[in-house]
Amino acid sequence: EVHGGIGGACAGPAVIREARQVIAKGASRLLLLGTREQFGEAVPEGMTVVPISCQSEGALEVFIEPVQPAPRLVVVGRSPMAQTLTGLAQVLGWRTALVDGPDFSAADADEYSLVVVATQGHGDEEAVEQAIAARPAYLGLVASLRRGDAVRGYLADRGLPKDQLDRVKAPAGLDLGRTSHKEIAVAILAELVQLRAAGALGAATAAEVAAGEAPGEATDPVCGVAGAAEQARYPLGDGGRYASFRR
């Protein structure tokens, strides 16, 4: 969603285009909109100069910062480990939900959720199958490597696609060897924090926003600025398409 606006026909589309990249990469960016001559030697390293040549001859500095929502963690199970993991995630300010295995369904998660199945042998297969249907950003099963393979094998026999089963991390969490249930919870949360910091959670969705859903680009023949290609209000050849900014 866009609330408000920045500048006119040149600045607004340029800022939106750069904002998509900020969302995809998860890194802030300072934009200098204008001509390099306007800024002269005052352009520090790391700043992005976006050339615009509107008749107003104005210049803008725009800081873009991605706002990352708190992760949503869904823990399936009622074991002491599941309760500990839920409590630790709440300390980090994460949105959490603790759901008993028989009560869990695909409706309890979505593509932005992190799901950890900790039913410990009580309906593991059913819980994992429901979690797969939600296509969460992360799906981990608290189980041994052998038990994880057995669950995936059972679900494969039920017809679940291999590419979806391969996304089930079992055992969930960092490998710390033999540990207590509290340490297992720490290991799982540490893995989730690590993946989030690396941009590995929901990265595909961000890329779709930045590239897949973004309109194509073209160069405005009036001011020479690259922008979103759309059906022009005032067609100028090329099949009636160019980067018109609704002048």
Side-chain angles (χ1 to χ4, degrees):
E1 295 180 73
V2 177
H3 301 267
I6 300 175
C10 296
V15 171
I16 291 175
R17 184 180 69 249
E18 295 293 331
R20 289 181 178 274
Q21 297 301 318
V22 168
I23 292 173
K25 297 181 179 180
S28 302
R29 184 177 299 182
L30 180 59
L31 308 180
L32 304 179
L33 286 79
T35 63
R36 185 167 289 276
E37 291 73 21
Q38 287 173 299
F39 298 104
E41 300 297 327
V43 180
E45 183 179 354
M47 292 186 179
T48 303
V49 176
V50 180
I52 60 174
S53 54
C54 292
Q55 293 179 344
S56 64
E57 298 182 351
L60 292 172
E61 293 186 10
V62 180
F63 180 69
I64 304 178
E65 182 178 19
V67 179
Q68 304 291 349
R72 181 172 186 270
L73 174 64
V74 179
V75 183
V76 185
R78 291 291 182 180
S79 66
M81 194 289 302
Q83 297 176 17
T84 300
L85 175 58
T86 302
L88 290 174
Q90 290 173 342
V91 171
L92 295 183
W94 290 17
R95 297 171 294 153
T96 62
L98 181 61
V99 185
D100 202 1
D103 299 330
F104 175 71
S105 71
D108 293 313
D110 57 28
E111 66 270 25
Y112 301 105
S113 301
L114 315 176
V115 179
V116 175
V117 176
T119 43
Q120 296 187 310
H122 301 283
D124 292 350
E125 294 84 357
E126 291 77 8
V128 171
E129 184 174 11
Q130 288 295 318
I132 287 176
R135 296 182 177 273
Y138 172 91
L139 174 53
L141 173 63
V142 181
S144 67
L145 184 62
R146 179 178 296 179
R147 175 61 180 162
D149 289 340
V151 170
R152 281 189 289 256
Y154 172 83
L155 294 176
D157 292 340
R158 287 176 56 86
L160 270 70
K162 182 179 183 301
D163 62 324
Q164 296 184 30
L165 292 172
D166 288 344
R167 296 184 64 245
V168 180
K169 175 70 186 304
L174 302 179
D175 185 4
L176 301 181
R178 292 183 178 274
T179 56
S180 67
H181 79 268
K182 293 181 180 180
E183 292 168 330
I184 292 174
V186 171
I188 294 172
L189 189 59
E191 179 183 55
L192 295 177
V193 171
Q194 182 185 62
L195 292 173
R196 183 169 184 252
L201 298 177
T205 301
E208 288 172 2
V209 172
E213 298 179 3
E217 287 193 352
T219 301
D220 191 308
V222 178
C223 63
V225 177
E230 59 183 14
Q231 287 294 341
R233 175 175 295 179
Y234 306 110
L236 288 182
D238 192 24
R241 296 178 64 89
Y242 75 102
S244 168
F245 299 143
R246 300 298 182 189
R247 300 183 186 281

